[in-house]
Amino acid sequence: MKRRKAEADHIINSTGEAPENNDVNVNKSGMDSAEIKKLRESENRFATFFHSNPVPVGITTASDFRIVDVNDAWSRLTGFSRAEAIGHTSAELGLAAPDTLQKMGSTVKSDGKIRNVEIPMITRSGKERMVLFTSEKIEIDGETCFLNNLLDITEQKQTEEKLRVSEEKFRGLLESIDGVIATIDYDGKFLYMNDIAANWLGDTREALIGRNMADIFPEPIASGQLEKVRKVIREDKGSISESMTYVRGQPRWFRNSLQPIHDINGKVVHALLHSTDVHELKTTQQELADLNQTLEERIRQATSQIQDLYDNAPSGYHSLDAGGNFLIINQTELKWLGYQRHELIGKPFTSLLTPASLSVFRSNFPAFKERGYVNDLEFELVRKDGSVFPVIVSATAIKDEAGNYAMSRSTVIDITERKQVEKKLHIRESYLSAIIENQPGLIWLKDVESRFLAVNRAFAQSCGMESPELLSGKNDLDIWPADLAEKYRADDEKVITLGKPRIVEEEIYDQGVRCWFETFKTPVYDHQGMVIGTTGFSRDITLRKQTEDALKNANTELEHTIRLKDEFLANMSHELRTPLNAILGLSEILIRQLSGPLNERQLRSLKTIEKSGKHLLELITDILDLSKIQANKLNLEFSFVPVADLCEASLIFVREAAMKKKISLKIMTDPGIVSVWADGRRLKQMLINLLSNAVKFTPDGGSVQLEVWSNIAERTVNFSVIDTGIGISPENIEKLFNPFVQLQTGLNRQYEGTGLGLALVHRLAKLHGGSISVQSELGKGSRFTITLPLSDLSLNLPDTSPVTTNEGTITAIAGSGTAPLILVAEDNQANIEVITDFLEFTGCRYAVARNGREALEQLQQQPVDLILMDIQMPDVDGLEALRRIRSHNNPQIARIPVIAVTALAMPGDREQFIEAGANDYISKPLDLSKLSVLINKFISGPTTA
């Protein structure tokens, strides 16, 4: 059979046609003339398609990979002519590395095919090209060969590399910028933001990108910002403004630079705030029919395989006649265009072109027919549905025997994805340019030799140059003093050597003026991960540094002022409480008639003295309470407080004053509210203040009512004090809760008071998580309401019984039967008399020390059961004496109970006394009943140091 084929080939190749001798019907091969004619026609069609195919194709033997044939496209790609290539291997021609060829040969021999493998190829001129290699095993007249397709993808790979390098530079620059960077569309949706922007907004970039301004910012800020974005996009004009926005729920001012971002056609698509796929090559070839089959079947199968390869190739194929009309077109291109074959055959190629592409075709088609080929012409094709897609067309002209143009063999590659990659690259470069040019800070890019590759306009201006291009290729020594340039060079080397970003704060003197700059430097990498330079950003932080210094000085001055205020209040507390201690203490002893009986007039006078002293004490206490609240040192002790007991206890304090003015007092409580979660003592203090004011400002014969009610829907419990008093004008209501403010002023004002009561009620209500409100009308009365949170347990807790305490005679030491000995450490004679008289009347023995040193000496001489230790004493004060007692080497002395007795009542005083070693604390003026309870607490049972 091989011999017959060779004979047929000889006949065809030597004469160009089969002999037409009618007398000879069978030649030497045994084939008749009809068979030879059909075989010649089939081989002519295959040869025409093979040699005119614009895709480089070669045929090699399966045994030793020697080249049997190549087409013109293969010769143009490699640089070797058909004659130079036939009989040689690719290794002999130097087209690829030997190991690559060995690997490809092993693969195709074992698998019978290779699909779309990227390999580097060296052309005859020494240039490296990247090709997509496909190989398929075929049978040619009983011999096994390989059909090899080479698709040049060098430009595609270069485009991908440019995109990767650009993205790397873009990413490196964004990482070095210390500011919010975001892109926003016309609807206010975030398309991109950097980590700094996400950090300001309190979330991650992944969570924020894609969200709308209205989802992140409150109104009307979101609407205002959106309008600015839309204006920039509409007018294609940037804007710079200062505005306030909310980040992490807090208001904050920003200086915003909005710049338009254009698409590849120059249209504004976004605002800036500070993928060619090569389809897998589908080739399907079938082995030639067995030589035992008929020649017709073998021809039909070969034709079918060629047609299938043509129709289903990953590229589009078509042929145009001399008039530019479609002669043939493959199925791939038809699918792209959305047409059936009969709809295009005979139609002009120009009917599928956009106006711009039509001009390109008309200017190139005549030259193509003359020259015989054209490569990589870009067109925009219009699909049947009206949509447009870009393609690259390469073509070879087929000429007749006379050398005249007959038709084209055109390859069409869809470059939609490549165009998208180019568009993405253009947009990124637009972003990069906009970011660089519109940053107020200094931005630069250097190579590993610290030569400037690019800078922004702000950087050029800082160097005294009008254009950034003037700095290209220069280094720091060309523009900065030597000492600064050397420092910058050293910083660059650290970034390059370590491969890590670097942040530096630098103090610079510019013409004698002290300036501060903050500089961010980060390395720039190539595609292999090698550092190829640095990029950086510098900003002037002189104002921030000056502001920090000013704020530090202001805070120091403020702390000094607060300390002076606390010291003044502490001293005033001591100076006022010390004489009050004697007044109230002696008054209580006399009223109890511990020194002997008194007549009615004397008792009445003493009660007046006691009442006036307690009133003065209340004023001092109010001032100190207000000071504690302002210093955030007033701690509340919450518990469930029985409402009924609270109301009754509060009314007791105003009942006598109400009776004198014939004012009726009423209580109305919600039966569903049994208790309230609050600090009982402070809540009672608030109610007494409101009730006292109501009685004070209600004329004789009026009424005052305390009403407790709940609002289940709002989860609140309310305490309202309602009076029929003089009322308050609307302009005065807002002044009520300011401290030291009285609505009636002047020396002749009718009502007493310091103006602290309502201020205290307001502050205490806020500490409880509640509020106070007022409704009033002049001449008709007022309604003050304290609103507190309602606890579910407030609705069903049972009333608790009031706690009673034992007062009176101090108990003797357990088991001893003797009166306890109490050491009184006090320097004020009046206070000594009050305390010692009280101890004597209660059956105690006492000893007196007038300072801390005397107290320590007396403890060495005689054991005592308890120490009443004043804090402010001469020589050795009470705190120092306490510390020495607790650290005494005699355990009996170190364990003596100590009660701190002092006029100091400022925030933190009690904690200071306990830390020094006191077992408990009582403030002056002394409440003798409380003092009696404390003494019994430490004398009647065991104590600890």
Side-chain angles (χ1 to χ4, degrees):
M1 185 62 72
K2 291 181 181 179
R3 182 177 56 79
R4 292 176 60 194
K5 176 65 171 60
E7 291 173 355
D9 287 345
H10 173 73
I11 296 171
I12 294 171
N13 290 332
S14 59
T15 65
E17 58 182 7
E20 296 183 356
N21 187 346
N22 294 330
D23 296 333
V24 181
N25 294 324
V26 179
N27 60 20
K28 295 179 181 180
S29 65
M31 300 173 63
D32 59 24
S33 59
E35 287 178 325
I36 292 173
K37 183 177 181 181
K38 288 182 181 179
L39 179 60
R40 184 186 64 186
E41 290 175 352
S42 174
E43 290 179 342
N44 283 341
R45 284 197 298 271
F46 180 81
T48 300
F49 172 76
F50 176 80
H51 286 291
S52 64
N53 193 337
V55 175
V57 181
I59 301 175
T60 61
T61 62
S63 57
D64 54 7
F65 300 107
R66 294 197 175 275
I67 296 171
V68 175
D69 203 353
V70 296
N71 66 355
D72 293 342
W74 187 95
S75 296
R76 287 196 298 272
L77 175 65
T78 63
F80 290 98
S81 67
R82 180 169 178 266
E84 291 172 324
I86 292 176
H88 296 280
T89 66
S90 295
E92 292 172 349
L93 297 176
L95 293 176
D99 56 343
T100 301
L101 293 172
Q102 183 179 0
K103 182 179 179 181
M104 302 300 291
S106 300
T107 301
V108 73
K109 279 187 175 182
S110 60
D111 296 343
K113 59 183 177 181
I114 293 178
R115 287 286 185 268
N116 297 339
V117 177
E118 293 183 6
I119 61 171
M121 188 190 78
I122 308 300
T123 65
R124 183 175 190 174
S125 63
K127 293 183 179 179
E128 182 176 304
R129 308 293 289 180
M130 184 62 69
V131 298
L132 195 67
F133 181 77
T134 299
S135 182
E136 182 93 15
K137 184 185 292 185
I138 61 173
E139 293 288 337
I140 299 179
D141 197 22
E143 292 187 11
T144 301
C145 297
F146 291 112
L147 181 66
N148 307 310
N149 286 8
L150 304 174
L151 185 60
D152 189 351
I153 59 171
T154 305
E155 285 73 19
Q156 174 189 339
K157 300 300 287 186
Q158 290 172 346
T159 300
E160 292 173 353
E161 176 61 16
K162 287 180 181 178
L163 176 60
R164 191 201 61 73
V165 172
S166 175
E167 288 177 339
E168 181 67 27
K169 291 180 180 178
F170 180 74
R171 188 185 310 103
L173 180 59
L174 286 184
E175 292 298 327
S176 69
I177 294 177
D178 180 32
V180 172
I181 301 296
T183 53
I184 310 165
D185 66 11
Y186 193 81
D187 296 324
K189 183 170 69 175
F190 284 100
L191 306 177
Y192 166 82
M193 65 172 61
N194 63 355
D195 287 331
I196 295 175
N199 183 52
W200 272 116
L201 296 174
D203 213 327
T204 63
R205 286 196 298 179
E206 292 74 12
L208 292 169
I209 292 175
R211 294 179 63 185
N212 198 282
M213 282 182 168
D215 300 332
I216 299 174
F217 302 108
E219 290 294 350
I221 291 175
S223 297
Q225 291 176 338
L226 179 57
E227 179 54 34
K228 291 179 181 178
V229 170
R230 288 180 171 176
K231 183 177 180 182
V232 168
I233 294 175
R234 284 196 306 267
E235 299 180 1
D236 191 8
K237 182 179 180 181
S239 71
I240 298 176
S241 64
E242 291 184 353
S243 63
M244 186 185 74
T245 186
Y246 275 78
V247 290
R248 303 177 185 168
Q250 297 297 322
R252 198 173 190 92
W253 283 90
F254 282 93
R255 186 172 187 269
N256 303 313
S257 172
L258 283 169
Q259 299 297 327
I261 299 299
H262 305 81
D263 64 9
I264 196 169
N265 298 315
K267 179 183 177 182
V268 181
V269 291
H270 309 309
L272 172 71
L273 180 63
H274 258 292
S275 266
T276 289
D277 272 357
V278 178
H279 293 286
E280 181 183 358
L281 180 63
K282 296 179 180 179
T283 57
T284 305
Q285 293 182 337
Q286 297 179 354
E287 295 182 359
L288 294 174
D290 189 86
L291 293 177
N292 294 326
Q293 294 179 346
T294 63
L295 181 60
E296 186 66 35
E297 178 63 18
R298 284 159 49 199
I299 294 174
R300 187 195 65 78
Q301 288 180 354
T303 304
S304 175
Q305 289 178 359
I306 293 170
Q307 187 63 41
D308 183 65
L309 174 65
Y310 179 81
D311 275 338
N312 297 298
S315 302
Y317 294 126
H318 67 246
S319 294
L320 304 179
D321 63 15
N325 302 311
F326 283 104
L327 292 174
I328 56 175
I329 183 171
N330 75 341
Q331 193 62 36
T332 299
E333 191 170 349
L334 288 169
K335 288 180 181 178
W336 290 348
L337 294 166
Y339 286 98
Q340 298 293 322
R341 182 174 274 104
H342 69 273
E343 294 178 294
L344 289 183
I345 298 301
K347 298 292 193 302
F349 179 66
T350 55
S351 65
L352 302 177
L353 299 177
T354 62
S357 295
L358 180 60
S359 175
V360 174
F361 180 83
R362 286 174 175 171
S363 63
N364 282 276
F365 191 60
F368 159 70
K369 291 191 291 184
E370 181 68 26
R371 187 171 59 240
Y373 67 92
V374 67
N375 291 320
D376 298 338
L377 279 182
E378 287 193 19
F379 295 100
E380 285 185 326
L381 300 185
V382 182
R383 297 186 179 94
K384 187 176 183 179
D385 62 7
S387 60
V388 176
F389 68 103
V391 298
I392 285 181
V393 176
S394 297
T396 300
I398 305 301
K399 299 184 178 182
D400 60 17
E401 294 178 354
N404 298 316
Y405 175 90
M407 60 187 294
S408 71
R409 293 292 189 188
S410 305
T411 302
V412 183
I413 299 175
D414 184 351
I415 59 170
T416 301
E417 294 192 11
R418 193 183 88 180
K419 284 292 185 180
Q420 290 173 346
V421 171
E422 291 175 352
K423 179 180 178 181
K424 185 177 180 181
L425 177 61
H426 176 81
I427 292 175
R428 287 184 179 274
E429 290 178 346
S430 179
Y431 287 164
L432 182 62
S433 177
I435 291 169
I436 291 175
E437 289 304 314
N438 294 286
Q439 275 292 323
L442 313 182
I443 302 175
W444 71 89
L445 179 67
K446 297 180 183 179
D447 61 17
V448 291
E449 300 297 329
S450 289
R451 290 185 295 261
F452 289 101
L453 301 178
V455 300
N456 69 341
R457 191 166 301 279
F459 189 96
Q461 291 172 351
S462 72
C463 301
M465 298 187 181
E466 295 182 359
S467 172
E469 288 75 16
L470 296 175
L471 282 164
S472 180
K474 296 183 181 295
N475 59 36
D476 289 311
L477 280 170
D478 296 326
I479 56 177
W480 305 117
D483 56 340
L484 282 180
E486 185 57 34
K487 181 180 183 304
Y488 297 156
R489 168 67 178 175
D491 286 340
D492 291 345
E493 289 182 352
K494 288 180 181 179
V495 172
I496 293 170
T497 302
L498 299 176
K500 294 181 179 180
R502 181 173 174 80
I503 302 176
V504 181
E505 284 191 1
E506 300 168 313
E507 184 179 11
I508 300 172
Y509 284 86
D510 184 6
Q511 298 180 354
V513 179
R514 183 188 185 196
C515 301
W516 281 89
F517 277 84
E518 186 176 46
T519 300
F520 300 80
K521 291 186 178 181
T522 186
V524 177
Y525 298 90
D526 64 8
H527 68 285
Q528 295 178 338
M530 300 295 293
V531 177
I532 59 174
T534 60
T535 184
F537 173 81
S538 291
R539 62 175 182 174
D540 189 339
I541 60 171
T542 304
L543 180 60
R544 190 188 82 186
K545 284 291 187 179
Q546 292 171 346
T547 303
E548 289 173 355
D549 292 341
L551 182 60
K552 187 182 300 181
N553 293 334
N555 286 337
T556 302
E557 184 65 27
L558 181 60
E559 290 173 1
H560 178 67
T561 303
I562 293 172
R563 186 167 61 253
L564 289 177
K565 172 191 167 187
D566 290 344
E567 291 174 358
F568 171 76
L569 288 174
N571 289 331
M572 288 302 298
S573 171
H574 180 268
E575 295 300 324
L576 292 171
R577 286 174 177 268
T578 298
L580 272 177
N581 183 56
I583 294 171
L584 293 177
L586 290 172
S587 297
E588 185 176 353
I589 290 173
L590 292 172
I591 290 171
R592 288 190 180 191
Q593 302 185 41
L594 298 176
S595 302
L598 301 173
N599 59 40
E600 185 177 346
R601 185 174 180 179
Q602 290 171 330
L603 280 173
R604 189 164 54 250
S605 298
L606 284 170
K607 288 181 178 179
T608 300
I609 294 172
E610 183 183 44
K611 181 179 179 182
S612 298
K614 286 185 175 179
H615 179 66
L616 182 57
L617 179 60
E618 288 175 359
L619 298 181
I620 297 170
T621 301
D622 282 350
I623 293 173
L624 293 177
D625 282 346
L626 192 61
S627 176
K628 290 178 183 178
I629 293 172
Q630 290 174 335
N632 293 322
K633 293 183 178 180
L634 184 68
N635 296 320
L636 300 182
E637 298 179 2
F638 283 87
S639 64
F640 283 104
V641 181
V643 170
D645 292 348
L646 174 68
C647 294
E648 287 293 342
S650 301
L651 283 180
I652 289 174
F653 282 84
V654 299
R655 186 164 285 139
E656 183 178 349
M659 288 176 63
K660 288 181 180 179
K661 298 177 70 174
K662 298 181 181 180
I663 295 173
S664 66
L665 297 176
K666 294 181 182 179
I667 299 176
M668 294 186 63
T669 60
D670 186 340
I673 302 298
V674 177
S675 62
V676 61
W677 181 252
D679 184 319
R681 184 167 70 90
R682 296 300 179 181
L683 181 53
K684 184 169 74 171
Q685 182 180 358
M686 289 190 278
L687 293 178
I688 291 172
N689 264 305
L690 295 182
L691 288 166
S692 298
N693 282 348
V695 171
K696 182 193 302 184
F697 295 109
T698 298
D700 294 358
S703 66
V704 174
Q705 180 172 306
L706 174 58
E707 183 179 315
V708 184
W709 52 283
S710 63
N711 187 328
I712 301 300
E714 295 184 3
R715 308 293 299 164
T716 60
V717 58
N718 304 276
F719 294 83
S720 294
V721 175
I722 309 155
D723 65 57
T724 58
I726 61 175
I728 308 165
S729 63
E731 64 269 15
N732 284 329
I733 286 180
E734 62 183 26
K735 305 176 185 177
L736 285 174
F737 303 109
N738 295 329
F740 305 107
V741 172
Q742 295 175 302
L743 302 185
Q744 186 185 39
T745 60
L747 298 176
N748 62 342
R749 58 192 178 89
Q750 181 180 354
Y751 302 102
E752 298 178 349
T754 60
L756 290 175
L758 289 177
L760 270 173
V761 174
H762 177 246
R763 304 288 178 87
L764 288 171
K766 288 186 68 176
L767 286 176
H768 277 80
S771 62
I772 182 170
S773 59
V774 59
Q775 297 170 295
S776 185
E777 187 176 346
L778 274 175
K780 293 187 177 181
S782 304
R783 179 187 185 105
F784 286 81
T785 301
I786 299 171
T787 301
L788 301 180
L790 175 65
S791 170
D792 290 337
L793 296 178
S794 297
L795 303 175
N796 54 24
L797 271 186
D799 290 344
T800 57
S801 301
V803 178
T804 59
T805 58
N806 295 321
E807 299 181 11
T809 305
I810 296 174
T811 307
I813 298 176
S816 68
T818 61
L821 176 58
I822 298 176
L823 175 61
V824 180
E826 171 67 65
D827 65 311
N828 185 277
Q829 183 59 38
N831 288 337
I832 292 173
E833 291 178 5
V834 172
I835 297 173
T836 57
D837 283 354
F838 173 73
L839 293 176
E840 185 178 342
F841 296 142
T842 54
C844 291
R845 295 179 298 149
Y846 62 84
V848 177
R850 295 185 180 273
N851 57 53
R853 188 180 303 279
E854 288 185 15
L856 292 167
E857 290 172 354
Q858 290 199 34
L859 290 177
Q860 294 282 12
Q861 297 170 7
Q862 59 179 342
V864 299
D865 301 303
L866 178 69
I867 303 173
L868 300 178
M869 179 74 75
D870 186 29
I871 297 302
Q872 289 183 303
M873 294 186 295
D875 197 1
V876 176
D877 63 29
L879 286 176
E880 179 60 26
L882 263 169
R883 296 186 185 100
R884 294 186 187 182
I885 290 171
R886 292 303 178 222
S887 61
H888 204 282
N889 55 12
N890 185 338
Q892 187 176 359
I893 294 176
R895 288 197 298 266
I896 297 173
V898 179
I899 299 174
V901 182
T902 180
L904 297 175
M906 292 302 294
D909 286 342
R910 183 183 187 279
E911 291 74 13
Q912 184 181 14
F913 305 148
I914 299 301
E915 184 180 353
N919 296 84
D920 215 322
Y921 156 85
I922 187 169
S923 63
K924 297 176 183 178
L926 295 176
D927 184 328
L928 298 179
S929 299
K930 291 182 179 179
L931 179 60
S932 177
V933 172
L934 278 178
I935 293 174
N936 269 319
K937 174 182 175 182
F938 292 107
I939 287 182
S940 61
T943 63
T944 58

